[in-house]
Amino acid sequence: MAGIVGYGVHVPRYRIKVEEIAKVWNDDPESIKKGLNITEKSVPGIDEDAATIAVEAARRAVDHSGINANEIGALYVGSESHPYAVKPTSTIVSQAIRTGHKLTAADLEFACKAGTAGIQMCAGLVDSKMIKYGMAIGSDTSQGRPSDALEYTASAGGGAFIIGSDKSEQIAEILKTTSYTSDTPDFWRREGAAFPSHGGRFTGEPAYFKHITNATKQLFEMTGFKASDFNYAVFHQPNGKFPIVVSKALGFEEKQIKDGLLTPVIGNTYSGASMLGLAAVLDIAKPNEKILLTSFGSGAGSDSFAIEVKDKIDEKRGKLTKVSDIINTRKIYIDYSTYLKNRGGIKKR
Amino acid sequence: MEKASASAWRKFNARYNMIGNVCKTCNTKYFPPRIVCKNCGRNTKMEEYQFSGKGEIFSFTKIHVPSEAFKESAPYVIGVIKLEEGPMIEGHIVDSGKEPQIGAKVKQVFRRMYTDGEEGLITYHFKFELI
């Protein structure tokens, strides 16, 4: 079946600490840090958006894979913060990585899971031999209304995965994928609205937990695998707490999820979150190890994947820019006013 | 501020990917690309050339009083970059948690350059980041 030929990520250097946001809204930072299991989040620079993040991640993915970008036949960018309402981010990325023009491309939106939906679309296209390689990107500069709980988590980052069917090139094979989808009004942003709205507690049980649990159980039934068969598990991470809770309920231990849990230090990168978590695990995974990935997008749906790491992963590590190198190198801490400026939150008229 | 989408579109290869050209007669590399080689004149044989995007800072300055287009970015750093392949070009040096210095190594990154108001095109362009 289809597999991962290469991957790359990008996270902006800017960070804002929970304490800095809490100070503005008279919240108790310790309570927020404990409740959400988060210490700081990434913030885009004033010249960064979902397209620039997607391009940086895509370029690293091409470098890592060793393929000619001209052979990419499909390019999907999942985001809920595409810079244009009409004009694709995917065409900007294709121009910036020089895919050539014999290509199908589209922008996807499914809250936080549009990136993994892109992986599924690429997998279908490469398995049916319609294309040689497909690239799926999840990239966001997510929005959180000032003083809303989301402001502590909504961050920026992205991941790009190149999918191909030639097993000799794969660093990891997608053994099986399945999805669970329902019409659930847990989180939304209307056309033209600057910030999303959400259903408070409703975002938990009937949305995140129900969809992740059902998609993962579907995958278990389809594959015969159980939680203990996986070396690593990555779940969508809107905060640092939900993935820990859902993983325990599904029978996973903390050691299986800790390497793919990045939200406590970079926040929720929305469409980038599951992709970044998977990349962080691939950075350290060994051949024959198994990875479970289950994303979640509000609205709502989950895509679940059983992935097996292949020998090629060690050979390609020399060309890899690791997630840890990107998120830990030369972080720039900013205050709340700079954060607002970078996020376009200061209206001059 | 650039409002014409056609003129921006013609420059995408250079602005996104640092694609210049090389005169195959004398092997001189140009960025931005030129139509005629300054050495070879009529004997110019230009071909597309992909620059590595790497170089070093030849000189730089910090802009505190910007034009209207870059008002929100100020203060920002503009540098003269000597590319690995030879040409010297001007470019923005992004904030990367390191102070720029003459001779410091840089690489290209992909960023927004400016936006044409609330409804116009967004112009993307290479900038430089300290390695």
Side-chain angles (χ1 to χ4, degrees):
Chain A
M1 198 176 160
I4 298 162
V5 174
Y7 64 95
V9 305
H10 182 72
V11 178
R13 292 184 189 279
Y14 295 100
R15 298 286 186 279
I16 188 165
K17 287 181 178 288
V18 164
E19 286 84 350
E20 182 65 24
I21 301 172
K23 189 170 68 182
V24 174
W25 303 114
N26 198 30
D27 286 335
D28 173 17
E30 293 310 314
S31 159
I32 301 283
K33 284 159 80 174
K34 194 178 168 194
L36 297 174
N37 186 23
I38 184 169
T39 56
E40 58 191 46
K41 68 169 189 173
S42 62
V43 180
I46 202 156
D47 56 359
E48 290 181 287
D49 61 24
T52 66
I53 290 169
V55 168
E56 294 292 350
R59 284 178 172 170
R60 290 186 176 121
V62 171
D63 287 347
H64 176 234
S65 68
I67 70 162
N68 182 345
N70 202 32
E71 293 186 291
I72 294 172
L75 199 161
Y76 299 110
V77 181
S79 181
E80 57 177 76
S81 49
H82 290 291
Y84 290 97
V86 178
K87 190 199 175 307
T89 307
S90 49
T91 56
I92 298 168
V93 176
S94 77
Q95 175 75 32
I97 64 170
R98 306 196 77 194
T99 58
H101 304 297
K102 191 181 176 187
L103 168 92
T104 179
D107 286 7
L108 310 177
E109 187 280 311
F110 195 143
C112 298
K113 85 159 189 84
T116 57
I119 293 179
Q120 289 179 324
M121 291 164 73
C122 289
L125 288 169
V126 300
D127 276 341
S128 62
K129 308 291 181 199
M130 285 180 69
I131 59 169
K132 186 171 183 186
Y133 303 113
M135 177 180 275
I137 302 172
S139 171
D140 256 311
T141 54
S142 54
Q143 315 91 356
R145 193 186 302 275
S147 87
D148 188 281
L150 281 181
E151 195 181 19
Y152 288 101
T153 54
S155 67
F161 285 80
I162 298 173
I163 307 300
S165 59
D166 183 344
K167 286 183 187 295
S168 69
E169 296 180 323
Q170 293 175 356
I171 59 160
E173 184 180 0
I174 299 169
L175 301 175
K176 197 68 86 177
T177 178
T178 184
S179 299
Y180 184 88
T181 308
S182 78
D183 185 7
T184 308
D186 59 317
F187 174 97
W188 62 92
R189 180 165 66 85
R190 295 273 302 276
E191 180 74 35
F195 300 108
S197 302
H198 58 85
R201 285 172 177 271
F202 188 68
T203 60
E205 283 304 329
Y208 179 88
F209 292 106
K210 175 182 165 184
H211 291 79
I212 290 221
T213 303
N214 283 325
T216 307
K217 283 183 174 171
Q218 264 176 211
L219 190 81
F220 286 171
E221 283 168 20
M222 289 167 71
T223 58
F225 292 143
K226 51 190 183 303
S228 58
D229 292 323
F230 293 94
N231 302 83
Y232 303 95
V234 178
F235 296 100
H236 175 54
Q237 33 205 282
N239 52 54
K241 201 173 180 181
F242 277 17
I244 294 174
V245 174
V246 81
S247 64
K248 277 184 186 161
L250 285 163
F252 291 91
E253 296 176 36
E254 195 187 336
K255 65 180 180 185
Q256 291 167 285
I257 68 156
K258 66 177 175 56
D259 295 304
L261 183 56
L262 304 174
T263 293
V265 290
I266 61 168
N268 177 11
T269 53
Y270 283 51
S271 300
S274 299
M275 316 286 270
L276 276 155
L278 175 60
V281 164
L282 286 170
D283 281 354
I284 55 168
K286 298 179 187 69
N288 302 318
E289 288 189 326
K290 287 191 180 62
I291 302 166
L292 176 113
L293 168 68
T294 306
S295 62
F296 170 73
S298 290
S302 282
D303 304 324
S304 194
F305 300 78
I307 296 166
E308 186 172 74
V309 181
K310 297 296 179 187
D311 292 340
K312 199 79 178 174
I313 199 162
D314 288 332
E315 194 184 309
K316 288 191 179 178
R317 284 228 160 93
K319 298 174 186 168
L320 179 67
T321 309
K322 286 186 172 182
V323 175
S324 58
D325 292 338
I326 289 168
I327 67 176
N328 295 325
T329 306
R330 293 182 358 224
K331 292 189 277 187
I332 304 168
Y333 286 96
I334 56 174
D335 59 18
Y336 192 82
S337 52
T338 307
Y339 159 74
L340 269 191
K341 183 183 167 191
N342 282 12
R343 300 297 293 117
I346 300 174
K347 300 294 175 200
K348 288 177 284 188
R349 55 173 180 252
Chain B
M1 189 75 76
E2 186 174 59
K3 289 187 185 284
S5 53
S7 65
W9 175 69
R10 288 189 194 102
K11 295 168 187 161
F12 278 172
N13 272 343
R15 289 179 172 183
Y16 286 17
N17 295 305
M18 295 196 66
I19 294 168
N21 53 12
V22 56
C23 174
K24 298 306 283 184
T25 307
C26 67
N27 204 35
T28 303
K29 299 176 180 81
Y30 291 102
F31 190 86
R34 287 173 62 109
I35 294 168
V36 177
C37 174
K38 63 183 179 184
N39 302 322
C40 303
R42 281 184 196 180
N43 296 320
T44 295
K45 286 182 185 168
M46 287 296 194
E47 272 186 14
E48 190 178 279
Y49 183 82
Q50 170 74 65
F51 282 79
S52 68
K54 292 178 182 166
E56 64 178 51
I57 298 174
F58 178 77
S59 184
F60 69 95
T61 185
K62 189 176 272 190
I63 307 290
H64 290 273
V65 185
S67 62
E68 190 62 31
F70 300 108
K71 208 170 179 179
E72 291 185 356
S73 304
Y76 60 91
V77 176
I78 294 284
V80 176
I81 308 299
K82 183 170 172 48
L83 299 175
E84 276 184 347
E85 297 86 350
M88 294 234 265
I89 62 165
E90 195 180 87
H92 284 241
I93 300 172
V94 302
D95 183 8
S96 61
K98 222 174 169 181
E99 284 300 312
Q101 288 183 329
I102 289 171
K105 302 284 184 195
V106 294
K107 62 173 183 177
Q108 65 152 325
V109 291
F110 187 79
R111 297 295 174 92
R112 274 185 187 215
M113 185 57 88
Y114 40 75
T115 56
D116 183 10
E118 292 291 314
E119 296 183 4
L121 278 176
I122 302 165
T123 298
Y124 294 96
H125 205 286
F126 66 82
K127 292 186 180 179
F128 292 97
E129 181 181 71
L130 278 100
I131 295 173

